[in-house]
Amino acid sequence: MKHLKSFSLAMLMVMITVAASAQSPVSFSVQQKRVSPTEVDVVFTGKIQSGWHVYSTGMPDDGPISATLTTEKAEGAAESGKLKPQGKEISEFDNLFGMKVRYFENSVTFTQRYKITGKKYAIKGFLEFGACNDQNCLPPTQVEFSYSGDGPEDAPTDSKADADTKDKDAQADALAAKAKADSLAAIAAATDSLRRLAIADSLSAVAGSSLPADTTALWQPVIKELNAFNGGENTSNRSLWYIFLMGLLGGLVALFTPCVWPIIPMTVSFFLKRAKDDKRRGIRDAITYGLSIVVIYLALGLIVTALFGASALNALSTNAIFNLFFCLLLVVFALSFFGCFELTLPSSWTNKVDSKASTTTGLLSIFLMAFTLALVSFSCTGPIIGFLLVDFATSGNLWGPAIGMLGFAIALALPFTLFALFPTWLKSAPKSGGWMNIIKVTLGFIELAFALKFFSVADLAYGWRLMDREVFLCLWIVIFGALGLYLIGKLKFQSDCEADGTANKPMPVACIMLGLVSIAFAIYMVPGLWGAPCKAVSAFAPPMWTQDFNLNTKEVRAAYTDYEQGMAAARAAGKPVVIDFTGFGCVNCRKMEAAVWTDPAVADKLNNDYVLISLFVDDKTPLPAHVQVTEADGTQRTLRTVGDKWSYLQRHKFGFNAQPFYVTLDHQGRPLGPSFVYKENVADYMDFLNQGTENFRKQ
């Protein structure tokens, strides 16, 4: 199944994440503008990187994070009206939230007006906003401001704003008291931990803490250790090797098609006869012919790379329109392999290249002969090349198409060279026959199956709900069941009759065995219609939450939403920890929970082998006291809420600032493996969890 899983590279999104040390994708500048003797505007101007968006004001409570303004101090001034957004606001229905959401792209301006009521005024507060892209969401981010100035000469000394400020202070005290009553122990312990950490880092001077050393250690940064896990394997090189091997496998399959295999003995014999008196020349020509094939297909891969570029290749795997196009393309290729029609290039191209090769001498003539082979064999190799290029282009690796086509070309060119070096091998080589058509039809079934995966990506993106999990499994059961019937000889195509001369010719033993395997695979998927995990196809099938009828009712819920409490519980239970940095308004967090955590294997692992701690970075519960911290870039920040605290923990300890973010820890807060971000792939998430438990046992 490893080879089967490697095909999923074409359907997976390669994550491009935002590290805390990198420049923020959203930046705001703030200034005050005097609009009249008695009015002043505080203006926040935001620049948003491509692909990101900032949510507007007034989102419902159960929706994404709204842009809000909090006035902490207003002496001689009072808020006049609500926070006003300006810019090109986009409004669309969000299927996950079940509501219309409003957001801004590229740029946005938020303005809050204050009415000056005293001879002097002083205002202080912060803007809080939420930002997301298609893969991650930033935690609620604050932009602080503090301004003062002179008011009109005839303004009274005491202002109504002072009274308003006192009222707000009283309300804040009431909220803080309520928070203490609700969760005093958890919040106080966490605040003490932050204060202790602030002392160690010279961030603030807080006295009187008696926090145990092991709890303080839980907040110590592990960025280097985590980077060592994340960079311990050269994933880029590993992906390139997978791509190369898949190209090599595709070339070997193409080699045994009716358009290529019969050409090998004719071409090798031509080179050997062409140099009867000089066998070295014949061998040299054959090697040159093989190298020319490599150059031609490698050039094709480079052209695809140049046309798309790195950013476009990374975007293809999640682009709904491209996935729909790939689906239709693979269906066309499958129908071609079934014999419905033949994909051929214009005959004039082949004739021109062939005539040019005949009238040219030297290396150029051999190269043109290789180019003629590429054109003539297109009806068989075209669908294979098309499928592989879709795979390579959506792998997320810039050099994927070039490396994949290199592997394909080597596999295709190698027999021409080997048979030229060892001509006697041609006598033992299989003769052309109906077996080559069997390979074509089998490939047609496989391409048809993978076309459904591409359609599923588009279906999920647009919310059509046409390709739910049970629909996908039904179609795969039919496809692989039909493939099994074909391989055991119970299903025939017109192309088989033309190739064999009879419709009743028995199938080879190897085909019958493979047919039984295909039928068994179809039967294996049947329980999935009632909610069985079917792990072998979990990377291909739509997520479990799309299934309407599901007998599996296992659910994952974090037992703890406080870091220190969860770590203490893990020590008592002797289990490792999964930290889930999430948010109430994080869309992709909900997608991961719906698509990955609902898988029975993942649910069982999280519920039984781990202590799961979910930390909500947008939790608005106020801390008993504000804590001043210094970020990695030297800027000062005030932690006001529980969500601020968890967001700071994520940045300070793990060097990351986007959600969802998952990491496995031991009881001392050290990582047990690499981190995991937004990627709706059950198999990869299980690998992430298994590595954590395995390293924990080794400890």
Side-chain angles (χ1 to χ4, degrees), residues 260-564:
V260 179
W261 187 258
I263 300 177
I264 296 176
M266 293 188 295
T267 305
V268 173
S269 299
F270 170 78
F271 285 127
L272 294 177
K273 290 178 181 178
R274 184 178 179 183
K276 291 189 286 188
D277 300 329
D278 188 357
K279 289 188 177 180
R280 289 184 179 178
R281 181 189 173 190
I283 294 174
R284 183 194 64 194
D285 290 348
I287 293 175
T288 305
Y289 184 79
L291 290 175
S292 298
I293 294 174
V294 173
V295 170
I296 290 168
Y297 286 106
L298 179 59
L300 176 62
L302 291 173
I303 290 172
V304 172
T305 298
L307 288 176
F308 286 100
S311 59
L313 290 179
N314 284 328
L316 286 180
S317 62
T318 54
N319 186 286
I321 296 176
F322 271 104
N323 276 278
L324 195 59
F325 172 74
F326 292 154
C327 168
L328 296 175
L329 192 65
L330 292 184
V331 170
V332 171
F333 288 159
L335 294 177
S336 172
F337 274 153
F338 289 153
C340 297
F341 50 83
E342 190 172 279
L343 291 174
T344 57
L345 295 173
S347 57
S348 59
W349 294 10
T350 307
N351 295 335
K352 286 181 180 179
V353 175
D354 191 37
S355 62
K356 195 70 176 177
S358 302
T359 58
T360 309
T361 58
L363 296 178
L364 181 58
S365 66
I366 298 175
F367 178 82
L368 291 173
M369 288 182 62
F371 197 60
T372 303
L373 168 70
L375 297 178
V376 171
S377 61
F378 179 79
S379 61
C380 293
T381 60
I384 299 175
I385 293 171
F387 175 70
L388 291 174
L389 282 177
V390 169
D391 184 0
F392 304 150
T394 56
S395 67
N397 198 306
L398 174 61
W399 296 105
I403 297 300
M405 284 296 98
L406 176 63
F408 179 88
I410 289 175
L412 199 63
L414 198 59
F416 292 94
T417 304
L418 291 178
F419 285 134
L421 292 172
F422 308 101
T424 55
W425 288 8
L426 279 172
K427 297 180 181 179
S428 57
K431 304 299 180 183
S432 302
W435 59 272
M436 292 185 293
N437 189 72
I438 295 174
I439 293 177
K440 281 184 60 178
V441 174
T442 301
L443 287 175
F445 278 109
I446 294 174
E447 294 205 348
L448 191 61
F450 277 96
L452 296 178
K453 173 57 184 175
F454 288 101
F455 183 83
S456 172
V457 173
D459 179 68
L460 289 171
Y462 286 114
W464 296 331
R465 296 301 300 270
L466 299 176
M467 189 61 69
D468 289 351
R469 187 173 183 268
E470 63 267 39
V471 176
F472 181 92
L473 290 177
C474 280
L475 293 174
W476 265 40
I477 290 169
V478 171
I479 289 172
F480 285 97
L483 174 59
L485 293 175
Y486 172 77
L487 290 174
I488 65 176
K490 298 299 182 182
L491 180 65
K492 290 288 185 179
F493 287 82
Q494 183 64 34
S495 56
D496 295 302
C497 300
E498 294 172 356
D500 297 341
T502 174
N504 298 318
K505 188 174 181 179
M507 300 293 281
V509 175
C511 290
I512 295 175
M513 297 302 295
L514 289 175
L516 294 177
V517 170
S518 184
I519 293 174
F521 180 60
I523 296 174
Y524 161 81
M525 290 185 286
V526 171
L529 300 176
W530 291 272
C534 295
K535 296 179 182 178
V537 298
S538 60
F540 305 96
M544 187 73 74
W545 60 267
T546 64
Q547 186 148 331
D548 295 325
F549 182 70
N550 188 357
L551 295 179
N552 183 5
T553 57
K554 281 194 174 182
E555 191 177 12
V556 175
R557 288 187 180 180
Y560 299 93
T561 56
D562 181 271
Y563 178 50
E564 285 84 3

Side-chain angles (χ1 to χ4, degrees), residues 38-82:
T38 59
E39 291 178 317
V40 64
D41 283 348
V42 178
V43 182
F44 303 86
T45 304
K47 294 182 179 180
I48 309 169
Q49 286 186 7
S50 177
W52 287 81
H53 56 265
V54 171
Y55 290 104
S56 186
T57 59
M59 294 288 102
D61 293 338
D62 53 349
I65 299 169
S66 300
T68 58
L69 186 130
T70 301
T71 302
E72 297 178 302
K73 176 183 178 182
E75 296 177 354
E79 291 183 9
S80 177
K82 297 181 179 179

